Amino acid sequence: TRVRATTPFFAAPTTGTERPRYGLSSVGLSYPFAAAVAKGFSDAAHAAGAEAVVLDARGDVQKQANDIEDLMVQRVHGIALMPLDSVVAQTWVDRAARAGMPIAAVAAQVGDPRRRAIRNVYPGLSALATQDEVEAGRAAGRLAATLLPADRPAAIAIIEGAAGFPEVEQRARGFRQGLDESGARYAIVASQPGNWTSEKGEAACQNILTARPGIDLFFNEADDMLVGCARAVRAAQSPAKLIGVGGSKLAIASIKAGAAQGTVCFKPEALGALAFHALADARGGPPARRFLTYPLPAVTRATIDRCVGQW
Amino acid sequence: MVTPLLLAQGVAKTFPNGTIALHGVDLALRAGRVHGLLGANGAGKSTLVKILSGALPASGGTVTWRGASARWTGPARARAAGIATIYQHVPLVPTLSVLENILLDRGGWRRDRRDQRAEVAALLARVGHELDLDALVGDLPIGARQMVAIVQALASGADLIVMDEPTASLAGHERETVYRIVRMLAHAEQRAILFISHFLDEIVSLTDEVTVLRDGRVALNAETATLDEAAIAAAIAGRSVTALSRTADRWIGAPALVATGLSVPGRLGATDITVAAGEIVGIAGLLGSGRSELLHAIFGAHPVQTGNVQLHGQPVGPSPEEAVAAGIALVPEDRAAQGYIPQFEIWKNIGLPHVGAGSWLLDPAAERGAADAAIARLAIRTPDADTIVTDLSGGNAQKVVIAKWLGERTRLLLLDEPTAGIDIGARTDILQLIQSFADDGLPVLLVSSEFSELIAICDRILVMRDGRIVAERRAGDIDEQGLILLAGGTLPTVEQAA
Amino acid sequence: MTIWTKPASPTWRTGLGLRDAGVYYALLLLLIVLALVANAAGRPGYLSPANLGNILYQASLVGIMGVAMTVVLITGAFDLSVGSVAALAAAILVGLADGIGFVPAAGAALATAAAVGLLNGAIVNFLGINAFIVTLGTLTAVRGLVLVLTDGRSLMVENGDTLARMLAFESSRIPLFGALLVVAALLAVRACLAFIRARRVGPAIAALAVLLLALFLGRDFTVAPPVLYLAIVTTAAWFVLARTVTGRRLYAVGGNAEAARLSGIDVRAYKIGAFVVSGLAAGFAGVLFGCRLGAVNPTALQGSELTVIAAAILGGTSLFGGAGSVVKTVTGALILFTLTNGFNILNLGANYQGMIEGIVVIAAAAIYTVGGRGPRRAAGAAL
Amino acid sequence: MTIWTKPASPTWRTGLGLRDAGVYYALLLLLIVLALVANAAGRPGYLSPANLGNILYQASLVGIMGVAMTVVLITGAFDLSVGSVAALAAAILVGLADGIGFVPAAGAALATAAAVGLLNGAIVNFLGINAFIVTLGTLTAVRGLVLVLTDGRSLMVENGDTLARMLAFESSRIPLFGALLVVAALLAVRACLAFIRARRVGPAIAALAVLLLALFLGRDFTVAPPVLYLAIVTTAAWFVLARTVTGRRLYAVGGNAEAARLSGIDVRAYKIGAFVVSGLAAGFAGVLFGCRLGAVNPTALQGSELTVIAAAILGGTSLFGGAGSVVKTVTGALILFTLTNGFNILNLGANYQGMIEGIVVIAAAAIYTVGGRGPRRAAGAAL
Ligand SMILES: Nc1ncnc2c1ncn2[C@@H]1O[C@H](COP(=O)(O)OP(=O)(O)OP(=O)(O)O)[C@@H](O)[C@H]1O
Ligand SMILES: Nc1ncnc2c1ncn2[C@@H]1O[C@H](COP(=O)(O)OP(=O)(O)OP(=O)(O)O)[C@@H](O)[C@H]1O
Ligand SMILES: [Mg+2]
Ligand SMILES: [Mg+2]
């Protein structure tokens, strides 16, 4: 007679007839975005009668490597990988592929983003479910172009994420492309890190406004920094416009309140679900489509209802 | 006469804070002789020792070693040349075992050589002292640590061994061991010894030659045989020192301290003790006999202790806070570890037990005033009350620890080796001070390994052995030898050898 | 009769020497260098009142936690859990504010934070476990608690009224001109006394500095409330440490716990008290953080403990207890935030910021450790 | 004759007592609890050789850095920069491997890492700046250097041959059965000697444990190379610390620097040496990290310094110097990684992991601080 654990901590206990188990290696469940991806993944698994094993890398590549190892040892039915680092993740995918373990990437691509186009899915991956970061930047850029003064070249500041993340460069690149496509006249007069957090975003905007009081627009590479930056802009009584990326609840509230002008709407829960379904299908044979994504609308106060904050 | 092994000429030292510790001192040490170095607290003895052993650079003068000029660039050089030093503030590594501390200056590459262990064990056997070689030095009481330092110097095989107050925190039995070691080294092995002490009887019986320092200058240098204790004392103090004499029939009041059933598991057997107002009760005993434990238990300083303490009829709870609030004062034996706050100035250290008695606000002016008064009263040698205690000489730091408790609120004085490391002049002053406190009606409990002190000023003497009080005598009814025998020691051999 | 050759007036010298005042010089030097570089780069606004106010504002949370950390370090302990505790307080505030209103929620947050401090202190002092490992444990456990409470998502205050009160608590503007004049006047009085009694000119210089600052910043200068709170917390802590019996005992406990115990001080109570103060300060920082946005995310203030400890140590606080000054800790925090502010102003590439920051931190510490060799002064004696 | 109650044969007891062996018991207890829970939850594979091998593998980098950190802590210092230094070494390895080949690149990486350690040591010991602030500075500066070198992007090795050699260095499988038997035999010899000489049964138990382990893991048990490297590094460090005069001097330098100086030990050389060792170990961990992935990201190993220090302190190393054992540090690291591995195996809700981890860490430390009151043994004397 085996004692069954009934502790509420544990995800649904397995029964004699094993439900299929799917693993998700998350970058860190204390990041709301990643937590939402995990929620989408788990919900989809539950709906399909499967069990989701969600591991938390806590922002540490080393720990993520360990997590993937642990998942492979457990012989789950498939691994969804939310890679902390696209380049580093290649080895994991190779290893999983060699072991015949279906593996899908979610929320970030696998392979050097400088060399590999996002739609060119890394060989060995069952699927890649992600938003295109450059595309997101581009959507923000196109939105920004509509907010800039028409009569003169605009001064723009970029609030970057923490140094060392590929999104930093991708979103900025896309942003410039979007502006250029729209024919905007602008100069990027400052790009400073806001380390993805609201308090650093606020500080960076405050400081930039001191040095350049005439900034017309702040592009925040993430919504947490957007809400921080909005405070700085209001405190300095600056007319600068504010744009973010992500579509977080807080940012949506800010935009509704008129404190910020717009953001690009991400749907992390959808990504999680996409990844799960791709894995579930992978057992049936090679998938028809390996690149899975969803449209990335840039929303403003007028169109904010199209974006439901998922994180 | 043979050429000196070590010759110091005009050695001078000025500290960065402006203190001039040595003004130009000459010293000659010869093989096979014990050279005594004396002086009041702060006279510069330890500073000279540190210069000779390379621990401090001199600011002037020359040192010649075996006829060649020697300017040590560090302690390693002096050690390698053959000078071993026992420093006053016993520097040992608390996290290493006794054996490893003894072997600390050894080279080679194997750490756990059995021949070295055997060598140390043989050495201990030769000098007739027992030490648990595997005990952790940090767990030892100060007396045992002092012995470790002595054995360390002994094991180094050096030609000159410098001992800075080796007996200050030792009791009778261990002192005997030290004397035996010194004689063996000097007379049997023809080494040179520089021996610093404030105990004139030791100096007279042990040394061949003495140098007395006063204010950083040599005040006296002569063959010991030509001197007596009074002459040396006069040279040290710069005045004649009156010997302590027993005041017959002092007034003694009603019982003030009544402690019953005091015990600390494994360390102090159930003990009752009573001290009357105005009474000075001495406690004699050997190293580790539990004297310090008893004082700590009265002070409530043991986390696990049982028993009751009453002071003037009022029960005192078992914690230092309550003890201090009730007016109990404890001068602990290990001044560096238990007595003062090293980062504090003199005035803050002296004020520490008293601040908070009146108001929650500090009154630095009053504290400084009290400190200045204490500095004057105990003749603490210091530029001013703002000096950090660790910049003081050993004896003066001890005086600061005593000064902490000389306030008006003190209603019971517990003194654990209060005169350790204190010079002859100041010792007399302090003992007289203690007497005057008792004359004012204060009950005093005095632990001292210097039994002559006990006999001189106590009314009653308790003898402890193995954590129990084994005997009680009126001070007038017993002499030093009797006390030593009661405490379980052997009679001193000093006089016979001299 | 004495042989002591005393320097003419030692307190005069040491009070302004590199060892005692080095961290202030380091901050000044940094400000001057950044101002010059900013000027050369065509960004003249660097030394503007508004920017100085910004630096103070940005440093305020770390400063508040740093003040309490200094107290903990003075007693010879260590508190790594402050970042997590602050996040917990913020989560409790934000989570409860809608239900029970701002003030009760803030009270609950502070009480919880103080309770964590008490727990830390009790474990360290009653079980005798190393403070590093205990507070590393609570750092992890409390962050875990935040995750459980927030379920990994950002929480936000929905009720508009409550939100408005929270924002007012944190984001209104407070004019400072009058207050600065008052402070200058008070300092001037103290300076006279200090000069007459002990020939110390330190206070006089402080008074003059505040006065000049007031005049420079001008009548219209305003700051955000956290700056004021930081000033109040610092002044209170300074007063307790330097002027009260409690302060003296805190230093004694850290300087030599056994000697303090045998002087009749309840060593454990003071050590535990320091942890409670640290918890409370972290809780207050968390409340301020929660009020900023009316929201909190589970990673809030992660890693801030290292910045807080760095500020304290940059301010010359000893890791081994018995020494430290809260004013210098705040100066240490200002050095760190002046630097990032300077990077932003100069628009220095993000990749280079880390390298320069590391070097400047070491250089700042070098100014007073290397420059300050010489006679020492005792713990807590300096302003 | 005495009333001091001494235990009959103290070395017998203390060698296995909670104070001396507590951390091993803590690990055992944790393993047993996790195995029971895993079994109850229907995940019987927990105690499988493969999973145990995984735990060892996962703990190896932290273990290697922890061994060196223990040396630094023993000398009374502190090194926060190890995570950054490891990342720098990895970046140099990956950056250069394509150009100059694996071995020269690894050499360059190690040399750079050792140089950073030397720099740390020199600044701490010659300028006299607090090790905490210095290594916090280099933590920041070296991470900045990594960002500059990688331009904020991930680097990877392109050349297939080089990559294969790197992978072989890190990821081949090494059979361990024979080696374990040899170790057991050696330990058995030592155990006999120890028992005869000093009636110590500790080594005998160790020998038995290794033998049982070998039998349990079976003939086919293999481990990844880092586990072997960890074993070698630990054994070497243990030997130096426990069996050589260098080790005694390291303990002396940290236990009482003044006593060490007065005994003629070149205190600075040993303190600086410890930093160099720490740099080297971090560099080696970085090389393994780089080989493991054939790539490096600029944020690699960020924050690992706290885990490393936690492992050392969990293993009973003193923050104040003079005491510590590398074997216990590795055990501390194993506790930490056993825990996260257990969470993964049990699929414990991520939100609860932090809370449980924090509590377990404190509880593990409590086992030997609370349970182990009594006579202590000298530093480095225990296995
Ligand atoms: N590190 C230091 N800095 C400043 N002054 C010092 C320092 N060490 C000692 N002194 C001063 O130098 C003088 C001589 O001190 P020293 O320790 O040599 O005296 P001593 O003769 O050994 O006294 P004691 O008998 O009390 O041990 C004293 O006035 C003391 O205050
Ligand atoms: N030589 C020694 N070696 C080891 N332990 C000792 C030694 N001397 C004393 N102890 C320990 O010290 C404790 C009791 O000593 P205590 O300090 O109370 O005695 P004391 O008579 O005051 O001796 P001391 O002269 O050292 O102060 C006991 O725990 C005993 O084990
Ligand atoms: Mg002396
Ligand atoms: Mg004693």
Side-chain angles (χ1 to χ4, degrees), chain B residues 140-141 143-144 267 286-293 333 417 449, chain D residues 4:
Chain B
L140 296 182
R267 302 198 153 194
L286 297 183
L287 198 65
S289 56
R291 299 164 299 171
S292 304
E293 303 283 340
E333 60 177 335
E417 311 276 10
S449 296
Chain D
W4 326 119

PDB file of all heavy atoms in Angstrom, chain B residues 140-141 143-144 267 286-293 333 417 449, chain D residues 4, ligand 2:
ATOM      1  N   LEU B 140      40.529  27.604  25.387  1.00  0.00           N
ATOM      2  CA  LEU B 140      41.324  27.590  26.618  1.00  0.00           C
ATOM      3  C   LEU B 140      41.173  28.899  27.378  1.00  0.00           C
ATOM      4  O   LEU B 140      41.049  29.962  26.775  1.00  0.00           O
ATOM      5  CB  LEU B 140      42.801  27.379  26.277  1.00  0.00           C
ATOM      6  CG  LEU B 140      43.168  26.059  25.634  1.00  0.00           C
ATOM      7  CD1 LEU B 140      44.670  26.004  25.406  1.00  0.00           C
ATOM      8  CD2 LEU B 140      42.723  24.896  26.491  1.00  0.00           C
ATOM      9  N   PRO B 141      41.249  28.833  28.699  1.00  0.00           N
ATOM     10  CA  PRO B 141      41.306  30.071  29.472  1.00  0.00           C
ATOM     11  C   PRO B 141      42.660  30.720  29.293  1.00  0.00           C
ATOM     12  O   PRO B 141      43.606  30.107  28.801  1.00  0.00           O
ATOM     13  CB  PRO B 141      41.080  29.606  30.905  1.00  0.00           C
ATOM     14  CG  PRO B 141      41.480  28.175  30.919  1.00  0.00           C
ATOM     15  CD  PRO B 141      41.235  27.645  29.553  1.00  0.00           C
ATOM     16  N   GLY B 143      45.141  31.596  31.104  1.00  0.00           N
ATOM     17  CA  GLY B 143      46.354  31.033  31.690  1.00  0.00           C
ATOM     18  C   GLY B 143      46.910  29.899  30.850  1.00  0.00           C
ATOM     19  O   GLY B 143      48.115  29.807  30.598  1.00  0.00           O
ATOM     20  N   ALA B 144      46.016  29.030  30.406  1.00  0.00           N
ATOM     21  CA  ALA B 144      46.447  27.911  29.573  1.00  0.00           C
ATOM     22  C   ALA B 144      47.010  28.414  28.251  1.00  0.00           C
ATOM     23  O   ALA B 144      47.985  27.863  27.725  1.00  0.00           O
ATOM     24  CB  ALA B 144      45.273  26.969  29.329  1.00  0.00           C
ATOM     25  N   ARG B 267      31.309  22.566  36.113  1.00  0.00           N
ATOM     26  CA  ARG B 267      32.378  23.527  36.336  1.00  0.00           C
ATOM     27  C   ARG B 267      32.453  24.016  37.766  1.00  0.00           C
ATOM     28  O   ARG B 267      33.525  24.326  38.268  1.00  0.00           O
ATOM     29  CB  ARG B 267      32.172  24.731  35.421  1.00  0.00           C
ATOM     30  CG  ARG B 267      32.134  24.328  33.979  1.00  0.00           C
ATOM     31  CD  ARG B 267      32.357  25.508  33.140  1.00  0.00           C
ATOM     32  NE  ARG B 267      32.950  25.122  31.881  1.00  0.00           N
ATOM     33  CZ  ARG B 267      33.506  25.982  31.058  1.00  0.00           C
ATOM     34  NH1 ARG B 267      33.551  27.252  31.383  1.00  0.00           N
ATOM     35  NH2 ARG B 267      34.021  25.556  29.940  1.00  0.00           N
ATOM     36  N   LEU B 286      44.352  27.215  42.278  1.00  0.00           N
ATOM     37  CA  LEU B 286      45.253  27.048  41.135  1.00  0.00           C
ATOM     38  C   LEU B 286      44.536  27.417  39.850  1.00  0.00           C
ATOM     39  O   LEU B 286      43.328  27.642  39.840  1.00  0.00           O
ATOM     40  CB  LEU B 286      45.712  25.593  41.045  1.00  0.00           C
ATOM     41  CG  LEU B 286      46.522  25.094  42.226  1.00  0.00           C
ATOM     42  CD1 LEU B 286      46.969  23.665  41.956  1.00  0.00           C
ATOM     43  CD2 LEU B 286      47.720  25.986  42.464  1.00  0.00           C
ATOM     44  N   LEU B 287      45.311  27.426  38.788  1.00  0.00           N
ATOM     45  CA  LEU B 287      44.738  27.674  37.467  1.00  0.00           C
ATOM     46  C   LEU B 287      43.639  26.643  37.222  1.00  0.00           C
ATOM     47  O   LEU B 287      43.844  25.454  37.400  1.00  0.00           O
ATOM     48  CB  LEU B 287      45.846  27.496  36.431  1.00  0.00           C
ATOM     49  CG  LEU B 287      45.624  28.102  35.054  1.00  0.00           C
ATOM     50  CD1 LEU B 287      45.555  29.600  35.150  1.00  0.00           C
ATOM     51  CD2 LEU B 287      46.773  27.703  34.146  1.00  0.00           C
ATOM     52  N   GLY B 288      42.452  27.137  36.869  1.00  0.00           N
ATOM     53  CA  GLY B 288      41.376  26.214  36.534  1.00  0.00           C
ATOM     54  C   GLY B 288      40.651  25.647  37.738  1.00  0.00           C
ATOM     55  O   GLY B 288      39.875  24.717  37.605  1.00  0.00           O
ATOM     56  N   SER B 289      40.874  26.225  38.903  1.00  0.00           N
ATOM     57  CA  SER B 289      40.210  25.674  40.084  1.00  0.00           C
ATOM     58  C   SER B 289      38.780  26.166  40.197  1.00  0.00           C
ATOM     59  O   SER B 289      38.052  25.730  41.081  1.00  0.00           O
ATOM     60  CB  SER B 289      40.996  26.051  41.334  1.00  0.00           C
ATOM     61  OG  SER B 289      41.130  27.458  41.394  1.00  0.00           O
ATOM     62  N   GLY B 290      38.358  27.073  39.316  1.00  0.00           N
ATOM     63  CA  GLY B 290      36.969  27.492  39.310  1.00  0.00           C
ATOM     64  C   GLY B 290      36.729  28.840  39.962  1.00  0.00           C
ATOM     65  O   GLY B 290      35.595  29.207  40.210  1.00  0.00           O
ATOM     66  N   ARG B 291      37.791  29.593  40.201  1.00  0.00           N
ATOM     67  CA  ARG B 291      37.607  30.896  40.834  1.00  0.00           C
ATOM     68  C   ARG B 291      36.844  31.842  39.936  1.00  0.00           C
ATOM     69  O   ARG B 291      35.900  32.516  40.356  1.00  0.00           O
ATOM     70  CB  ARG B 291      38.974  31.488  41.182  1.00  0.00           C
ATOM     71  CG  ARG B 291      39.777  30.642  42.160  1.00  0.00           C
ATOM     72  CD  ARG B 291      41.226  31.039  42.166  1.00  0.00           C
ATOM     73  NE  ARG B 291      41.821  30.857  40.846  1.00  0.00           N
ATOM     74  CZ  ARG B 291      43.021  31.266  40.500  1.00  0.00           C
ATOM     75  NH1 ARG B 291      43.762  31.899  41.356  1.00  0.00           N
ATOM     76  NH2 ARG B 291      43.476  31.046  39.279  1.00  0.00           N
ATOM     77  N   SER B 292      37.270  31.877  38.664  1.00  0.00           N
ATOM     78  CA  SER B 292      36.571  32.766  37.731  1.00  0.00           C
ATOM     79  C   SER B 292      35.126  32.332  37.561  1.00  0.00           C
ATOM     80  O   SER B 292      34.224  33.160  37.469  1.00  0.00           O
ATOM     81  CB  SER B 292      37.265  32.750  36.367  1.00  0.00           C
ATOM     82  OG  SER B 292      38.607  33.089  36.512  1.00  0.00           O
ATOM     83  N   GLU B 293      34.913  31.022  37.554  1.00  0.00           N
ATOM     84  CA  GLU B 293      33.553  30.512  37.391  1.00  0.00           C
ATOM     85  C   GLU B 293      32.676  31.008  38.535  1.00  0.00           C
ATOM     86  O   GLU B 293      31.518  31.381  38.335  1.00  0.00           O
ATOM     87  CB  GLU B 293      33.553  28.980  37.383  1.00  0.00           C
ATOM     88  CG  GLU B 293      34.441  28.371  36.315  1.00  0.00           C
ATOM     89  CD  GLU B 293      33.822  28.424  34.937  1.00  0.00           C
ATOM     90  OE1 GLU B 293      32.597  28.568  34.843  1.00  0.00           O
ATOM     91  OE2 GLU B 293      34.576  28.321  33.961  1.00  0.00           O
ATOM     92  N   GLU B 333      39.036  38.568  34.174  1.00  0.00           N
ATOM     93  CA  GLU B 333      40.469  38.283  34.150  1.00  0.00           C
ATOM     94  C   GLU B 333      41.099  38.538  32.781  1.00  0.00           C
ATOM     95  O   GLU B 333      42.253  38.897  32.689  1.00  0.00           O
ATOM     96  CB  GLU B 333      40.719  36.829  34.556  1.00  0.00           C
ATOM     97  CG  GLU B 333      40.047  35.826  33.628  1.00  0.00           C
ATOM     98  CD  GLU B 333      40.357  34.395  34.013  1.00  0.00           C
ATOM     99  OE1 GLU B 333      41.389  34.170  34.645  1.00  0.00           O
ATOM    100  OE2 GLU B 333      39.559  33.506  33.666  1.00  0.00           O
ATOM    101  N   GLU B 417      41.666  38.713  39.268  1.00  0.00           N
ATOM    102  CA  GLU B 417      43.056  39.066  38.946  1.00  0.00           C
ATOM    103  C   GLU B 417      43.175  40.539  38.546  1.00  0.00           C
ATOM    104  O   GLU B 417      43.647  40.856  37.454  1.00  0.00           O
ATOM    105  CB  GLU B 417      43.574  38.204  37.783  1.00  0.00           C
ATOM    106  CG  GLU B 417      43.320  36.720  37.938  1.00  0.00           C
ATOM    107  CD  GLU B 417      44.373  36.023  38.769  1.00  0.00           C
ATOM    108  OE1 GLU B 417      45.204  36.723  39.375  1.00  0.00           O
ATOM    109  OE2 GLU B 417      44.336  34.778  38.838  1.00  0.00           O
ATOM    110  N   SER B 449      46.091  35.350  41.909  1.00  0.00           N
ATOM    111  CA  SER B 449      47.059  34.257  41.974  1.00  0.00           C
ATOM    112  C   SER B 449      48.283  34.681  42.755  1.00  0.00           C
ATOM    113  O   SER B 449      49.178  33.893  43.002  1.00  0.00           O
ATOM    114  CB  SER B 449      47.456  33.829  40.565  1.00  0.00           C
ATOM    115  OG  SER B 449      46.331  33.318  39.909  1.00  0.00           O
TER     116      SER B 449
ATOM    117  N   TRP D   4      35.257  18.287  35.992  1.00  0.00           N
ATOM    118  CA  TRP D   4      34.968  18.549  34.577  1.00  0.00           C
ATOM    119  C   TRP D   4      34.599  17.222  33.937  1.00  0.00           C
ATOM    120  O   TRP D   4      35.380  16.289  33.957  1.00  0.00           O
ATOM    121  CB  TRP D   4      36.167  19.134  33.835  1.00  0.00           C
ATOM    122  CG  TRP D   4      37.023  20.025  34.660  1.00  0.00           C
ATOM    123  CD1 TRP D   4      38.331  19.844  34.955  1.00  0.00           C
ATOM    124  CD2 TRP D   4      36.636  21.242  35.289  1.00  0.00           C
ATOM    125  NE1 TRP D   4      38.776  20.858  35.736  1.00  0.00           N
ATOM    126  CE2 TRP D   4      37.757  21.730  35.965  1.00  0.00           C
ATOM    127  CE3 TRP D   4      35.444  21.965  35.365  1.00  0.00           C
ATOM    128  CZ2 TRP D   4      37.744  22.905  36.684  1.00  0.00           C
ATOM    129  CZ3 TRP D   4      35.420  23.125  36.085  1.00  0.00           C
ATOM    130  CH2 TRP D   4      36.559  23.590  36.733  1.00  0.00           C
TER     131      TRP D   4
HETATM  132  N1  LIG E   2      45.279  24.475  32.028  1.00  0.00           N
HETATM  133  C1  LIG E   2      44.032  24.321  31.577  1.00  0.00           C
HETATM  134  N2  LIG E   2      43.825  23.583  30.454  1.00  0.00           N
HETATM  135  C2  LIG E   2      42.582  23.421  29.991  1.00  0.00           C
HETATM  136  N3  LIG E   2      41.483  23.918  30.568  1.00  0.00           N
HETATM  137  C3  LIG E   2      41.611  24.651  31.673  1.00  0.00           C
HETATM  138  C4  LIG E   2      42.884  24.879  32.226  1.00  0.00           C
HETATM  139  N4  LIG E   2      42.720  25.658  33.279  1.00  0.00           N
HETATM  140  C5  LIG E   2      41.424  25.883  33.398  1.00  0.00           C
HETATM  141  N5  LIG E   2      40.745  25.278  32.456  1.00  0.00           N
HETATM  142  C6  LIG E   2      39.291  25.359  32.262  1.00  0.00           C
HETATM  143  O1  LIG E   2      38.842  26.575  32.843  1.00  0.00           O
HETATM  144  C7  LIG E   2      37.623  26.402  33.525  1.00  0.00           C
HETATM  145  C8  LIG E   2      37.664  26.805  34.971  1.00  0.00           C
HETATM  146  O2  LIG E   2      38.601  27.719  35.101  1.00  0.00           O
HETATM  147  P1  LIG E   2      38.379  29.096  35.833  1.00  0.00           P
HETATM  148  O3  LIG E   2      38.776  30.148  34.898  1.00  0.00           O
HETATM  149  O4  LIG E   2      37.096  29.165  36.521  1.00  0.00           O
HETATM  150  O5  LIG E   2      39.434  28.846  36.962  1.00  0.00           O
HETATM  151  P2  LIG E   2      40.371  29.848  37.661  1.00  0.00           P
HETATM  152  O6  LIG E   2      40.664  29.238  38.933  1.00  0.00           O
HETATM  153  O7  LIG E   2      39.803  31.170  37.615  1.00  0.00           O
HETATM  154  O8  LIG E   2      41.615  29.729  36.763  1.00  0.00           O
HETATM  155  P3  LIG E   2      42.358  30.867  35.992  1.00  0.00           P
HETATM  156  O9  LIG E   2      43.527  31.130  36.821  1.00  0.00           O
HETATM  157  O10 LIG E   2      42.691  30.246  34.692  1.00  0.00           O
HETATM  158  O11 LIG E   2      41.464  31.982  35.869  1.00  0.00           O
HETATM  159  C9  LIG E   2      37.297  24.970  33.373  1.00  0.00           C
HETATM  160  O12 LIG E   2      36.359  24.843  32.343  1.00  0.00           O
HETATM  161  C10 LIG E   2      38.590  24.307  32.996  1.00  0.00           C
HETATM  162  O13 LIG E   2      38.328  23.186  32.173  1.00  0.00           O
END
